[in-house]
Amino acid sequence: MTLPVGADAWVSICHGYSCVAQAEIVYPAERLGEIRRLLAGANDAAAERERLAEAMGRLYRWAGEQSEVRNDRAGNYADGHVPGKMDCIDHSTSTTRLLNMLENAGMLRWHAVLVPQVRYFLGIFPSHWSAVIEEKDAERNSDANAGESAGENRRFVVDSWFVNNGEPAVILPLADWKKGAGPDV
């Protein structure tokens, strides 16, 4: 479903750990216009990722104006027992929903939204989830990057779990993130 320019959007934002609670957030057309203008200024995939980090921060900040997710802090422990706290499952699910909203509105020119990914502790235990995007630019998939690793090199996590509510999301290459990259929270 495509979101027409000038239309409001509704997105369910998970919180309470493992999406036990949902907040229905309305993103008015005027605010979506801000995001559209921000992302439209990107002239390549790298610039779109930089702007997308800021866009995610704004979308979560606006969600915090309408819900308890305003209390969420980076990681799982800094927010204590406040209502609205979010774990990585809440963030990966909600960020994917927000990315899908942007994609359906035609705001992502250089990336496509993929399903969330998990990284493992000691290679066996799921330890962290994140939303994922992939570059659309086929030219980056050169012969030097041919094969299975080519897709990995074009995939990035969009991880809002690493930051306090309203701050720009952390965007990292998926392969680096799977090896443990990201802020220590």
Side-chain angles (χ1 to χ4, degrees), residues 6-30:
D8 295 347
W10 288 261
V11 177
S12 293
I13 301 294
C14 293
H15 59 95
Y17 284 37
S18 298
C19 290
V20 298
Q22 307 263 341
E24 293 300 317
I25 305 301
V26 178
Y27 292 100
E30 300 81 34

Side-chain angles (χ1 to χ4, degrees), residues 50-115:
E50 287 177 22
R51 290 168 180 259
L52 189 56
E54 174 62 32
M56 285 293 113
R58 288 185 195 182
L59 292 168
Y60 273 107
R61 185 169 46 252
W62 297 335
E65 292 172 2
Q66 301 174 52
S67 71
E68 295 174 329
V69 300
R70 70 183 152 275
N71 297 321
D72 185 53
R73 299 293 171 257
N76 284 345
Y77 305 110
D79 41 20
H81 299 290
V82 299
K85 65 183 181 176
M86 301 169 72
D87 66 2
C88 64
I89 294 170
D90 296 323
H91 277 283
S92 62
T93 303
S94 299
T95 299
T96 300
R97 290 173 181 171
L98 292 169
L99 290 167
N100 281 323
M101 174 191 68
L102 298 177
E103 185 175 49
N104 291 337
M107 293 188 214
L108 298 181
R109 295 183 353 210
W110 302 95
H111 294 89
V113 181
L114 302 179
V115 298

